[in-house]
């Protein structure tokens, strides 16, 4: 149909203004139900109504329509009929922003968006709508300003015999039908309070960015921790608010992330802020809060929460989420009353923080994330439900986590083909037991440095060899060199620690030694495999110099546990009783952080400061050891404790033997055959010399520890060959290990 030039006019009545239709005279018969109005270069589609009070040749627009189309009274417009393609332009879902038409009429009542949607469809059924269009909507005797944000068309494949494709195409112009869905959202800065399901689709999707993933975030090995945090802290925020309201559920307001340094606490907190479509997180280092002026520290806490308080007053339940991240929270939230002689600043800071998170005037739009390596220092009131109630340990990554972390840190090298094909990430993950995320990153850096170093010319000046540098690749050998030389785990096995105890190897001089090692192997297997006994402890007891410490070190080394530590008296020389207790406690606490741990408590009577004169011993250390020997590790962790002592009788009196699961006796060498076997394994004497010694000790009762025997052999070895055997037997007699009748027959 041909276009017609008409003049723009005002809508004749307020009632017609609320219909969202343009109005022409009832005698105009040129147009169908919907029309296109062309204003200069723009086209707008409206639904048509007829009314006798409109002059012929004019077309009436309401004020919102004139504002939207930038149209003035009397302006000439071109009007043509418009026909909808109902296979592609029927509205499935319409997203609209709503606010009070006049701010002075705003109120704090709740408006049910479900009822609004029903009313909206009844009022505007079969009408044309465009994205960006503005209109006035009357509901509950109040006028609201509505703006069309987004529209999706019904899937045309639904009309066919096949299945729907699932994709709903966007439309700029659509027709509202009785089965369309209208989703209301409050306009930005609106003080309206909406309830009901019809406004929740956007709310559910808006809090979490749809495109985040662990790889992009640079976080690995924390999948379980992330899922636990989401379950506790974000499920209620993502769920439809009306269901949350019906359940009377309150949002979690605080999370405490704790664990060893370098395991990703700060990284996780930083990325939670990026992952959520919330306000920019406020990141605070604990010590920054403290101020030398009275009251300033508390004022700094209040400033952190000011924005959240202001928004909650204005917008109520519709307020956005405010995230406040406290790094090193133990610096400002120490136990109240714990600092003798202090000014009490820490106490008032804790009080201020408690009142803001969960005081009389509760804030429901905040999430406080605290991070610390020392959760034991934090005031317990801060950790109860309603405050930092989600306590999440960010521990050392397991093998799967280490694979993820290494993949993240080698991704760029892999993309640019700078990682050699012989580098096996899974092999590296096995080799890096008890490495934290930061240590794994350091390992990759060290391997890169090793690889780069190969391409530096060794001359008077430091230069890069450009010819070979272009072929730079980080190989398996670079990683292995960095593993053995550069990066050692802070919580793990210090090989030098126990290597010194078995530097001469284990001398299997007889069945007793093999039996001890077999029993040790069984105890290691029990620790690994048994679900009923997460704590296994064994006491190796026997005379001095019988090799107890070496056997304990050998059992721990063969266990291949990721965490092995030796608690030895030689590292606690000069320690006070309290310092000694703290050092022992720290070793056990570190052990609890690993999945599988072995602690060797060497020379227990020396740790206890035992002397027979008196007798005297440290009761404080004794009680600490008794508690730690019986204390099972946390759930999911396994611990093997190997104790050594030369004074079983003393431990019996102290009631310490009962703290061990089992006791194994380590005997001295007590027979000539065993002595000769030990000499043969040590290889210090020739065959004819060993035969002489065997004849000399035949029928004699022996009692010598392998450690003492080794010392005597080395002393005799310094003599001339013809005197070595005589000197050795003489030394044995002097030590009381051999009877006086022994003589040398050559």
């Amino acid at each position: 149909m041909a276009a017609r030039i008409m003049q723009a006019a005002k809508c004749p009545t307020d009632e017609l203004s609320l219909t969202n239709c343009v109005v022409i005279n009832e005698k105009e018969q040129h147009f169908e139900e919907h029309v296109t109005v062309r204003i200069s270069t723009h086209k707008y589609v409206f639904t048509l109504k007829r009314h006798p009070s409109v002059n012929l040749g004019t077309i009436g627009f309401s004020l919102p329509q004139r504002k939207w189309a930038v149209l003035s009274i009397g302006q000439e417009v071109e009007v043509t009929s418009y026909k909808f393609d109902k296979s592609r332009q029927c509205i499935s879902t319409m997203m609209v922003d709503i606010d009070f038409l006049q701010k002075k009429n705003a109120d704090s009542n709740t408006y049910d968006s479900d009822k609004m949607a029903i009313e909206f469809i009844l009022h505007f059924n079969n009408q044309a709508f465009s994205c960006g269009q503005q209109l006035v909507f009357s509901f509950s005797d109040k006028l609201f300003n509505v703006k069309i944000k987004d529209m999706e068309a019904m899937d045309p494949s639904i009309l066919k015999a096949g299945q729907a494709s699932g994709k709903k195409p966007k439309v700029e112009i659509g027709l509202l039908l009785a089965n369309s869905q209208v989703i209301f959202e409050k306009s930005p800065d609106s003080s309206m309070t909406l309830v009901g399901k019809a406004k929740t689709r956007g709310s559910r999707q808006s809090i979490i960015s749809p495109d985040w993933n662990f790889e992009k975030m640079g976080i690995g090995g924390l999948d379980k921790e992330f899922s636990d945090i989401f379950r506790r802290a974000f499920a209620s925020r993502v769920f439809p608010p009306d269901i949350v309201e019906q359940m009377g559920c309150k949002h979690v307001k605080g999370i405490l992330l704790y664990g060893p340094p370098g395991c990703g606490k700060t990284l996780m907190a930083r990325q939670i802020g990026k992952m959520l479509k919330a306000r920019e997180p406020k990141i605070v280092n604990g010590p920054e809060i403290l101020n030398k002026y009275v009251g300033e520290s508390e004022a700094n806490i209040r400033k952190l929460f000011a924005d959240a308080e202001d928004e909650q007053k204005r917008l109520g339940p519709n307020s956005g989420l405010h995230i406040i991240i406290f790094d090193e929270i133990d610096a400002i939230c120490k136990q109240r009353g714990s600092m003798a002689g202090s000014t009490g600043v820490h106490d008032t800071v804790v009080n201020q923080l408690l009142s803001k998170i969960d005081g009389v005037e509760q804030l429901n739009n905040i999430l406080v994330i605290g991070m610390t390596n020392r959760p034991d220092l934090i005031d317990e009131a801060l950790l109860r439900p309603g405050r930092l109630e989600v306590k999440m340990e960010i521990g050392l990554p397991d093998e799967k986590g280490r694979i993820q972390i290494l993949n993240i840190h080698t991704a760029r090298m892999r993309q640019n083909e700078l990682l050699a094909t012989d580098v096996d990430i899974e092999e590296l993950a096995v080799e890096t037991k008890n490495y934290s995320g930061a240590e794994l990153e350091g390992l990759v850096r060290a391997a890169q440095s090793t690889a780069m170093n190969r391409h530096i010319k060794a001359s008077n000046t430091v230069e890069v060899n450009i010819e070979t540098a272009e072929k730079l690749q980080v190989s398996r050998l670079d990683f292995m060199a960095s593993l053995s030389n550069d990066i050692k785990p802070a919580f793990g096995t210090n090989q030098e620690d126990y290597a010194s105890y078995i530097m001469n190897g284990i001398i299997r001089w007889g069945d007793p030694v093999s039996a001890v090692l077999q029993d040790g192997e069984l105890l290691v297997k029990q620790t690994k495999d048994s679900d009923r006994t997460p704590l296994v402890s064994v006491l190796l007891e026997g005379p001095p110099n019988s090799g107890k410490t070496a056997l304990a070190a050998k059992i721990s080394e063969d266990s291949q546990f990721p965490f092995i530590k030796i608690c030895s008296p030689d590292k606690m020389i000069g320690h006070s009783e309290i310092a000694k207790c703290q050092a022992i406690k720290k070793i056990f606490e570190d052990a609890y952080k690993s999945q599988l741990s072995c602690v060797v408590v060497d020379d227990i009577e020396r740790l206890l400061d035992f002397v027979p004169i008196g007798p005297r011993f440290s009761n404080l250390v004794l009680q600490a050891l008794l508690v730690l020997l019986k204390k099972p590790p946390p759930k999911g962790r396994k611990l093997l404790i190997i104790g050594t002592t030369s004074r079983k009788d003393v431990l019996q009196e102290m009631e310490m033997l009962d703290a061990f699961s089992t006791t194994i006796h380590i005997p001295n060498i007590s027979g000539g055959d065993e002595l000769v076997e030990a000499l043969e394994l040590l290889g210090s004497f020739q065959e004819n010399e060993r035969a002489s010694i065997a004849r000399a000790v035949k029928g004699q009762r022996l009692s010598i520890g392998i450690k003492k025997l080794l010392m005597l052999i080395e002393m005799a070895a310094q003599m001339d060959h013809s005197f070595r055997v005589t000197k050795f037997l003489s030394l044995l007699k002097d030590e009381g290990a051999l009877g006086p009748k022994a003589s040398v027959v050559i």
Side-chain angles (χ1 to χ4, degrees):
M1 185 175 283
R4 185 145 179 248
I5 304 298
M6 303 183 80
Q7 278 192 336
K10 284 185 180 180
C11 199
T13 67
D14 289 343
E15 194 179 334
L16 282 170
S17 290
L18 295 174
T19 61
N20 191 40
C21 297
V22 292
V23 190
I24 59 172
N25 190 281
E26 57 189 5
K27 291 180 181 176
E28 299 271 11
Q29 299 299 322
H30 306 83
F31 305 109
E32 296 181 16
E33 193 175 358
H34 310 287
V35 292
T36 302
V37 177
R38 185 185 179 92
I39 303 164
S40 64
T41 57
H42 296 286
K43 290 182 180 179
Y44 302 90
V45 177
F46 294 101
T47 302
L48 204 58
K49 270 195 183 299
R50 291 175 168 80
H51 196 272
S53 63
V54 180
N55 294 331
L56 285 166
T58 63
I59 180 167
F61 294 90
S62 66
L63 181 61
Q65 288 169 338
R66 294 202 303 276
K67 275 187 179 176
W68 175 48
V70 194
L71 186 63
S72 56
I73 303 294
Q75 186 175 338
E76 288 191 343
V77 294
E78 186 183 284
V79 184
T80 52
S81 286
Y82 183 87
K83 199 163 186 70
F84 276 98
D85 179 353
K86 294 198 175 179
S87 68
R88 291 186 299 123
Q89 287 185 289
C90 292
I91 296 170
S92 162
T93 308
M94 179 193 282
M95 302 281 293
V96 300
D97 276 346
I98 188 166
D99 193 8
F100 296 106
L101 184 63
Q102 294 179 312
K103 297 289 184 187
K104 65 181 181 182
N105 292 334
D107 59 34
S108 57
N109 296 337
T110 56
Y111 291 91
D112 191 331
S113 56
D114 297 329
K115 291 178 182 174
M116 274 184 161
I118 295 166
E119 188 80 25
F120 191 91
I121 290 167
L122 282 172
H123 203 62
F124 301 116
N125 189 23
N126 215 37
Q127 279 200 25
F129 284 95
S130 305
C131 283
Q133 182 176 347
Q134 294 182 26
L135 61 142
V136 177
F137 171 49
S138 174
F139 178 77
S140 294
D141 297 328
K142 270 202 180 286
L143 296 179
F144 297 92
N145 185 44
V146 171
K147 183 178 179 180
I148 312 301
K149 270 175 67 179
D150 192 23
M151 296 189 297
E152 290 175 352
M154 289 185 181
D155 189 348
S157 57
I158 294 172
L159 305 172
K160 298 173 187 172
Q163 284 190 334
S165 66
K167 283 190 175 181
K168 293 181 179 178
K170 303 278 185 187
V171 285
E172 289 298 313
I173 300 168
L175 190 66
L176 189 72
L177 302 177
N179 61 344
S180 300
Q181 184 188 9
V182 180
I183 297 173
F184 283 97
E185 286 186 346
K186 66 180 186 63
S187 298
D189 301 325
S190 169
S191 58
M192 272 189 78
T193 305
L194 291 181
V195 294
K197 294 176 186 172
K199 67 141 182 100
T200 56
R201 188 188 75 163
S203 306
R204 283 201 300 276
Q205 292 177 341
S206 64
I207 190 168
I208 295 172
S209 294
D211 57 349
W212 66 270
N213 65 47
F214 291 118
E215 294 283 332
K216 284 184 185 172
M217 290 163 67
I219 295 179
L222 296 174
D223 303 35
K224 181 183 179 296
E225 287 81 357
F226 254 109
S227 63
D228 285 350
I229 286 174
F230 272 100
R231 177 177 61 83
R232 293 293 313 280
F234 300 119
S236 63
R237 296 182 189 276
V238 179
F239 223 73
D242 58 312
I243 297 177
V244 175
E245 286 162 19
Q246 287 167 20
M247 292 177 74
C249 175
K250 287 184 180 176
H251 300 311
V252 164
K253 295 176 190 169
I255 304 170
L256 180 70
L257 305 178
Y258 67 94
C263 288
K265 299 182 296 296
T266 307
L267 182 62
M268 181 184 269
R270 196 185 302 136
Q271 299 297 359
I272 283 174
K274 287 183 186 174
M275 188 193 329
L276 299 177
K277 284 187 178 175
R279 306 286 182 283
E280 185 69 25
K282 293 180 181 175
I283 300 176
V284 189
N285 290 319
E288 287 176 3
I289 290 292
L290 303 176
N291 193 297
K292 64 180 179 180
Y293 295 110
V294 175
E296 281 298 309
S297 302
E298 296 87 327
N300 288 339
I301 293 282
R302 289 195 293 275
K303 282 174 197 168
L304 292 173
F305 291 87
D307 291 343
E309 282 181 330
D310 180 54
E311 193 168 321
Q312 180 151 307
K313 280 175 188 169
R314 283 191 298 110
L315 307 180
N318 295 309
S319 170
L321 178 63
H322 292 254
I323 299 174
I324 301 167
I325 297 171
F326 285 95
D327 202 1
E328 306 302 341
I329 195 170
D330 53 282
I332 58 167
C333 292
K334 288 187 172 67
Q335 292 277 355
R336 285 172 289 181
S338 62
M339 298 177 71
S342 76
T343 57
V345 171
H346 284 88
D347 293 3
T348 54
V349 168
V350 174
N351 293 339
Q352 183 69 78
L353 192 58
L354 290 174
S355 65
K356 283 295 171 191
I357 297 174
D358 188 32
V360 177
E361 292 183 8
Q362 287 191 334
L363 289 171
N364 209 28
N365 60 345
I366 57 163
L367 180 66
V368 176
I369 303 175
M371 292 168 289
T372 181
N373 304 327
R374 297 291 307 275
D376 52 303
L377 295 181
I378 296 173
D379 192 278
E380 58 189 21
L382 199 64
L383 303 179
R384 74 158 180 75
R387 290 157 187 177
L388 300 185
E389 65 178 274
V390 178
K391 292 174 274 296
M392 185 64 58
E393 182 178 4
I394 309 297
L396 296 166
D398 57 11
E399 192 173 316
K400 183 183 165 193
R402 294 196 293 274
I403 290 171
Q404 286 181 6
I405 294 166
L406 287 165
N407 277 327
I408 287 165
H409 293 303
T410 57
R412 291 282 288 277
M413 288 194 288
R414 208 176 295 110
Q415 285 167 13
N416 298 303
E417 298 182 353
L418 295 174
L419 194 68
T421 51
D422 63 348
V423 176
D424 184 353
I425 296 294
E426 292 183 9
E427 179 197 9
L428 286 175
V430 172
E431 293 291 325
T432 51
K433 294 184 181 81
N434 270 27
Y435 276 64
S436 68
E439 285 161 348
L440 289 170
E441 186 183 359
L443 174 68
V444 174
R445 276 201 305 271
Q448 290 167 340
S449 302
T450 308
M452 288 175 186
N453 198 50
R454 286 201 303 272
H455 300 282
I456 294 175
K457 289 179 184 175
S459 61
N460 294 334
T461 57
V462 177
E463 291 178 10
V464 175
N465 190 340
I466 301 297
E467 294 171 10
T468 60
E470 290 174 358
K471 299 173 186 174
L472 171 69
Q473 277 203 323
V474 182
S475 69
R476 178 181 178 274
L477 287 174
D478 297 324
F479 278 101
M480 291 304 164
S482 301
L483 265 175
S484 56
N485 302 323
D486 299 326
I487 308 294
K488 300 286 182 188
F491 296 91
T493 303
N494 186 356
Q495 199 160 1
E496 292 83 13
D497 209 20
Y498 58 76
S500 61
Y501 293 108
I502 46 175
M503 59 184 178
N504 297 308
I506 298 296
I507 314 301
R508 294 176 184 258
W509 48 261
D511 292 340
V513 180
S514 300
V516 170
L517 291 173
Q518 282 172 5
D519 287 348
E521 201 176 312
L522 286 172
L523 290 166
V524 167
K525 197 167 184 298
Q526 179 187 346
T527 309
K528 275 184 186 172
D529 301 339
S530 173
D531 293 326
R532 294 185 176 181
T533 52
L535 174 66
V536 176
S537 55
V538 57
L539 178 67
L540 305 184
E541 62 83 18
N545 301 313
S546 56
K548 301 179 294 296
T549 304
L551 285 167
K554 179 65 175 170
I555 292 166
S556 65
E557 184 189 36
D558 290 350
S559 73
Q560 292 292 298
F561 282 5
F563 182 98
I564 300 170
K565 274 283 191 290
I566 295 183
C567 177
S568 174
D570 60 9
K571 293 191 179 122
M572 300 184 194
I573 295 170
H575 280 32
S576 67
E577 281 187 300
I578 292 172
K580 200 179 277 190
C581 288
Q582 286 173 341
I584 296 168
K585 181 170 174 256
K586 186 177 186 310
I587 289 172
F588 277 84
E589 282 180 347
D590 288 350
Y592 297 148
K593 289 169 185 169
S594 178
Q595 304 290 326
L596 280 170
S597 309
C598 177
V599 174
V600 177
V601 185
D602 189 31
D603 216 352
I604 294 175
E605 65 273 17
R606 290 284 70 76
L607 274 175
L608 296 174
D609 298 332
F610 172 79
V611 283
I613 304 166
R616 290 172 54 190
F617 64 93
S618 168
N619 188 48
L620 207 61
V621 178
L622 171 65
Q623 299 306 325
L625 271 175
L626 284 172
V627 170
L628 291 168
L629 287 171
K630 292 179 182 178
K631 182 184 175 184
K635 191 176 179 183
R637 311 287 161 87
K638 307 281 188 73
L639 176 61
L640 171 64
I641 302 171
I642 306 172
T644 70
T645 183
S646 304
R647 296 297 304 265
K648 181 184 175 185
D649 55 323
V650 171
L651 299 195
Q652 178 76 57
E653 283 182 32
M654 293 177 179
E655 298 182 350
M656 192 181 249
L657 286 187
D658 296 337
F660 288 93
S661 313
T662 184
T663 304
I664 298 175
H665 179 65
I666 313 292
N668 274 341
I669 294 172
S670 57
D673 293 344
E674 291 171 349
L675 177 65
V676 172
E677 180 73 18
L679 293 175
E680 189 176 339
L681 289 168
L682 287 164
S684 298
F685 291 101
Q686 293 172 359
E687 193 174 343
N688 62 331
E689 291 174 323
R690 290 198 300 274
S692 299
I693 293 168
R695 287 194 294 274
V697 299
K698 190 175 181 183
Q700 295 281 331
R701 281 191 60 81
L702 288 170
S703 179
I704 186 165
I706 185 69
K707 191 175 173 185
K708 177 66 76 175
L709 177 65
L710 190 62
M711 183 61 67
L712 300 184
I713 289 169
E714 288 304 307
M715 287 171 71
Q718 310 308 311
M719 301 288 291
D720 189 74
H721 273 276
S722 54
F723 298 106
R724 284 199 311 182
V725 174
T726 309
K727 181 64 176 173
F728 175 68
L729 290 170
S730 159
L731 288 168
L732 277 179
K733 284 178 187 175
D734 292 346
E735 288 296 329
L738 192 63
K741 294 180 182 178
S743 59
V744 183
V745 182
I746 299 177

